[in-house]
């Protein structure tokens, strides 16, 4: 008595008659579907058709077949994703849940593995129950269990000898684990006479690829993997027909490392300087990066951010950054702290340095040019040139004791004189006339020695006695 295909599928999954009878319940009527709808807005959900690397399996049983599907969900916050697998015999897997959180579109890949002990034709589908009920299209498959004795007899009849060899390239991969094949597996199938060959690839005990190909003498086949994390394992090439042959195990190792590690940043050598004349503070420091990238930095004066900027490193290294003069007011004039913080893609670093209190600047003294203030002609009666009086102005930016002296014709006239000056003060000096001459000539200069050096510069002068009155007039 032959069983129907539906009954064979049910038997392959170990389904009961009651479960078989309940298959009709998997298809909901439009009215039932309408009652499940809710007025509350739910995230949009879509499901891809399940895929498997062994859609038409032929080989030794029990056979393990893997199915996977991708769920696309548009999140608007927290939600619970609930799903189950539907089998062609009318049964379903246990409901599984995944907690999701965030905003935007998210993709979730789910998988399951079924084991079959005899021939079966069936399908798998993925059904999402929450937050919205969606069922994928059916993915059909078949399993044909080969009898070793039949294969051996077939081999003897056809006298086809088959062999396989496999290798990994590279056998050890160290680098960035980004999308794209990182390890390629190659294999060669050899036959004693032209044959149509069915083969499959096994990765770490699981079927990941299969195919049919015409082989006249030998032929290369292969596949690649794109690991997302460090791992190790093996791949094996298995010939299913004609005959049966398994290659050696091609072992591989993957070590995931960043090709261009994000730079680490640091700061050092912070120096502060207080300008007492303007009561302001400035600073400079060294910013370093171990690799190419942009480094942001911020200056803080007593905890308050006063400047932000960034610096670009083409190949890593050290750059000096500066904080221009910042005016000090209030308590800040009594001293404080400057902090520089740098930020990179991997880390941050900071450094702090104190600055000196702002002190009142020492007063500065300047002197004007010397001018002739007067001429004393009484000396002309003693057969001398006239006496000459000089005047200059001392100016100080604050209260100060000013020390100075006069220079006549390049020679110092006297010991140092002192005057208290706060603002501007006129000072004078006089000299006598020249003996045996009717005029007095030369140069005069006022030199300041404290609190700072200053000079009026040399000024030439000439004073002449007036002509005598005519006695006969």
């Amino acid at each position: 008595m032959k069983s129907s295909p539906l009954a064979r599928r049910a038997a392959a999954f170990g389904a009961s008659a009651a479960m078989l009878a309940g298959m009709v319940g998997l298809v909901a009527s439009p009215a039932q579907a309408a009652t499940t709808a809710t007025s509350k807005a739910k995230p949009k959900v879509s499901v891809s058709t399940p895929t498997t690397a062994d859609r038409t399996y032929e080989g030794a049983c029990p056979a393990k077949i893997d199915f996977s599907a991708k769920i696309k969900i548009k999140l608007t916050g927290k939600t619970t994703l609930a799903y189950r697998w539907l089998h062609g015999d009318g049964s379903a897997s246990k409901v599984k849940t995944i907690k999701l959180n965030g905003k935007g579109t998210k993709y979730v890949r789910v998988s399951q593995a079924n084991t079959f002990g005899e021939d079966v034709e069936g399908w798998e589908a993925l059904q999402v129950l929450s937050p919205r009920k969606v069922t994928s299209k059916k993915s059909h498959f078949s399993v044909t269990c080969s009898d070793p004795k039949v294969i051996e007899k077939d081999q003897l009849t056809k006298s086809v000898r088959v062999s396989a060899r496999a290798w990994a390239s590279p056998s050890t991969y160290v680098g960035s684990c980004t999308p794209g094949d990182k390890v390629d597996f190659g294999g060669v199938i050899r036959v004693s006479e032209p044959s149509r060959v069915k083969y499959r690839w096994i990765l770490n005990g699981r079927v990941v690829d299969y195919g049919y190909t015409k082989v006249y003498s030998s032929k290369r086949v292969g596949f690649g993997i794109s690991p997302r994390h460090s791992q190790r394992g093996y791949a094996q090439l298995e010939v299913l027909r004609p005959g049966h042959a398994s290659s050696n195990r091609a072992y591989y190792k993957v070590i995931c490392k960043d090709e261009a590690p994000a730079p680490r940043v640091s700061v050092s050598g912070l120096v502060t300087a207080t300008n007492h004349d303007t009561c302001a503070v400035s600073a400079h420091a060294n910013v370093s990066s171990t690799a190419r990238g942009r480094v942001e930095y911020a200056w803080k004066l007593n905890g308050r951010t006063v400047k932000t900027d960034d610096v670009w490193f083409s190949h890593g290294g050290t750059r000096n950054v500066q904080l221009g003069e910042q005016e000090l007011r209030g308590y800040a004039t009594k001293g404080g702290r400057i902090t520089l913080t740098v930020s990179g893609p991997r880390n941050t670093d900071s450094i702090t340095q104190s600055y000196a209190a702002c002190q009142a600047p020492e007063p500065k003294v300047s002197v004007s040019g010397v001018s002739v203030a007067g001429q004393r002609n009484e000396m002309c009666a003693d057969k001398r040139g006239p006496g000459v009086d000089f005047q200059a102005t001392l100016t100080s930016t604050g209260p100060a004791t000013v020390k100075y002296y006069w220079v006549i014709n390049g020679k110092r006239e006297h010991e140092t004189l002192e005057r208290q000056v706060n603002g501007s003060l006129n000072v004078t000096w006089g000299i006598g006339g020249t003996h045996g001459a009717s005029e007095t000539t030369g140069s005069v200069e006022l030199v300041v020695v404290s609190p700072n050096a200053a000079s009026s510069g040399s000024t030439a002068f000439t004073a002449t006695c007036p002509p005598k009155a005519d006695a006969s007039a």
Side-chain angles (χ1 to χ4, degrees):
M1 177 179 178
K2 290 187 176 181
S3 60
S4 67
L6 182 60
R8 290 201 302 272
R9 291 195 295 271
F13 281 95
S16 65
M19 187 178 297
L20 181 61
M23 288 183 64
V24 180
L26 288 176
V27 181
S29 67
Q32 290 173 321
T35 58
T36 60
T38 61
S39 59
K40 184 179 179 181
K42 297 179 180 179
K44 293 182 179 180
V45 179
S46 61
V47 186
S48 67
T49 304
T51 60
T52 176
D54 238 344
R55 190 175 300 277
T56 56
Y57 174 86
E58 290 185 30
C61 290
K64 184 179 180 182
I65 308 297
D66 296 318
F67 297 90
S68 66
K70 185 165 61 176
I71 303 171
K72 178 181 178 183
I73 180 170
K74 189 171 184 180
L75 295 174
T76 57
K78 293 182 179 180
T79 190
T80 299
L81 176 66
Y83 67 94
R84 64 179 179 177
W85 289 91
L86 303 180
H87 310 313
D89 64 350
S91 62
S93 69
K94 292 182 179 179
V95 176
K96 295 183 179 180
T97 60
I98 300 175
K99 299 290 186 179
L100 299 175
N101 188 18
K103 291 186 178 181
T105 302
K106 186 175 183 64
Y107 294 89
V108 180
R109 182 170 290 278
V110 296
S111 61
Q112 73 155 358
N114 293 331
T115 301
F116 302 95
E118 58 183 335
D119 293 356
V120 64
E121 292 181 0
W123 54 265
E124 288 288 304
L126 180 65
Q127 185 178 63
V128 174
L129 302 174
S130 174
R132 185 188 294 272
K133 191 172 183 180
V134 179
T135 304
S136 73
K137 294 181 180 180
K138 297 176 182 179
S139 177
H140 293 271
F141 68 95
S142 66
V143 174
T144 302
C145 296
S146 302
D147 185 348
K149 292 183 178 180
V150 173
I151 294 175
E152 184 177 352
K153 181 178 180 181
D154 185 60
Q155 281 185 293
L156 292 174
T157 302
K158 293 185 177 180
S159 299
V160 177
R161 295 185 301 276
V162 62
S163 63
R165 183 172 64 88
W167 61 86
S169 178
S171 58
T172 299
Y173 171 83
V174 180
S176 176
C177 289
T178 54
D181 288 352
K182 298 300 181 293
V183 179
D184 292 320
F185 296 97
V188 61
I189 301 172
R190 299 183 185 276
V191 294
S192 60
E193 61 181 68
S195 303
R196 180 171 172 78
V197 175
K198 181 179 181 180
Y199 67 93
R200 66 179 180 179
W201 282 98
I202 298 174
L203 182 68
N204 300 323
R206 304 179 71 175
V207 176
V208 293
D209 192 22
Y210 68 95
Y212 293 89
T213 185
K214 181 72 173 182
V215 182
Y216 292 91
S217 176
S218 64
K219 191 168 188 178
R220 289 194 175 191
V221 293
F223 77 105
I225 62 173
S226 178
R228 294 299 183 93
H229 57 82
S230 298
Q231 58 182 269
R232 63 175 63 199
Y234 72 92
Q236 192 171 24
L237 175 60
E238 184 178 10
V239 177
L240 303 174
R241 192 172 60 207
H244 187 276
S246 295
S247 73
N248 58 295
R249 289 187 173 185
Y251 291 95
Y252 72 95
K253 181 191 294 185
V254 174
I255 301 174
C256 293
K257 287 186 177 181
D258 290 336
E259 291 179 345
R264 296 191 67 86
V265 297
S266 59
V267 61
S268 61
L270 174 58
V271 177
T272 64
T274 301
N275 187 334
H276 299 289
D277 292 337
T278 59
C279 199
V281 65
S282 60
H284 63 85
N286 295 322
V287 176
S288 301
S289 176
T290 60
R292 174 187 177 94
R294 187 178 305 279
V295 179
E296 297 179 345
Y297 62 90
W299 289 98
K300 288 186 178 181
L301 175 61
N302 296 321
R304 179 175 62 89
T305 300
V306 293
K307 181 182 179 182
T308 60
D309 207 341
D310 59 68
V311 60
W312 172 260
F313 290 89
S314 299
H315 305 286
T318 300
R319 301 277 292 274
N320 187 267
V321 297
Q322 298 185 357
L323 173 65
E325 285 196 347
Q326 304 293 312
E327 183 181 358
L328 299 176
R329 297 179 180 179
Y331 285 104
T333 62
K334 300 180 179 180
R337 299 167 73 83
I338 289 179
T339 299
L340 175 60
T341 301
V342 295
S343 302
R346 291 186 61 186
N347 72 301
T348 60
D349 192 22
S350 64
I351 188 171
T352 301
Q353 179 67 46
S354 300
Y355 66 86
C358 176
Q359 300 176 356
E362 293 291 334
K364 290 186 177 181
V365 174
S366 60
V367 58
S368 68
V370 179
S371 62
V372 175
Q375 177 177 320
R376 287 173 276 113
N377 293 325
E378 65 271 15
M379 293 184 181
C380 293
D382 298 331
K383 296 183 179 181
R384 292 187 298 173
V388 182
D389 295 325
F390 307 105
Q391 178 179 291
T393 302
L394 298 173
T395 302
S396 175
T397 58
T401 300
V402 180
K403 297 181 179 182
Y404 64 97
Y405 60 86
W406 292 90
V407 177
I408 304 296
N409 296 329
K411 294 182 179 180
R412 181 168 175 167
E413 276 285 285
H414 52 79
E415 298 298 326
T416 302
L417 303 175
E418 290 187 5
R419 297 294 297 270
Q420 297 298 318
V421 181
N422 184 13
S424 296
L425 179 69
N426 293 329
V427 292
T428 60
W429 186 252
I431 60 172
T434 305
H435 289 280
S438 61
E439 67 178 8
T440 304
T441 63
S443 63
V444 61
E445 180 183 7
L446 176 61
V447 178
V448 175
V449 296
S450 178
N452 57 275
S455 171
S456 66
S458 180
T459 300
F461 66 90
T462 299
T464 304
C465 289
K468 294 181 179 180
D470 188 355
S472 62

